[in-house]
Each structure stands twice: as C-alpha cells, then as structure tokens.
Amino acid sequence: MRGDRVEVVIDAGGEVRTYDVVATRNGRRVEIETGRGVVTVSEVTRSGTPVRTARFMANRILALVEHPAADQNIAREDIEPHLPGSTG
C-alpha cells in the first residue's frame, strides 16, 4: 500500500546510519525477509515483483521499524484503550 515504510537503523562501524524503504506508488508494499544472517527489505508490486531491494547483515541491525500505511480512523481505534465497563 502506498505509504508503507520500513526504517532500518544499522551500526556502520562507529556511526549509526538510517535507511528507509518506502512503497512509492499505489499498489506497492514493503516486505521483509530474513535468512542466513541477511535481512532483505523489498518494495514489491501487486504481483510480487521486486522493484527495489536493500540487504543488510543481521548482526549490524540495531532497529528495524515497520510503519504501515493505515487509515487514520483504524489506527486511532487500535491505539485507544478499551476499559471494562466503557462503551465504544
């Protein structure tokens, strides 16, 4: 979904670098795969064809943050606490 974003923070030998992989067009999404010490973050089309790919060594990753593109109303509902006895 356009607006999906994955932020990868890595240790680059004495400094910290941040990389963003963003779904740039409608119908594209960002997928994460891990295997054999490598993390692959790809922007893919609806059919699953990779458009852009970034690969990182897993032992260098400090943080991997997914920022899904979501409707504001849905996100607000997920964040609001539901207390026992309250309506809504």
Side-chain angles (χ1 to χ4, degrees), residues 21-83:
V21 178
V22 181
T24 56
R25 294 190 180 176
N26 289 333
R28 293 190 180 168
R29 63 188 183 278
V30 180
E31 292 184 349
I32 301 169
E33 297 178 24
T34 59
R36 297 186 180 229
V38 176
V39 176
T40 304
V41 182
S42 301
E43 177 185 0
V44 297
T45 61
R46 286 185 178 122
S47 63
T49 306
V51 177
R52 277 187 296 170
T53 301
R55 289 185 177 90
F56 304 95
M57 292 174 51
N59 61 351
R60 293 287 188 177
I61 294 177
L62 301 174
L64 189 113
V65 183
E66 295 181 67
H67 301 278
D71 183 40
Q72 288 292 356
N73 293 332
I74 294 171
R76 191 175 309 117
E77 288 176 9
D78 290 343
I79 294 172
E80 290 179 4
H82 294 282
L83 302 174

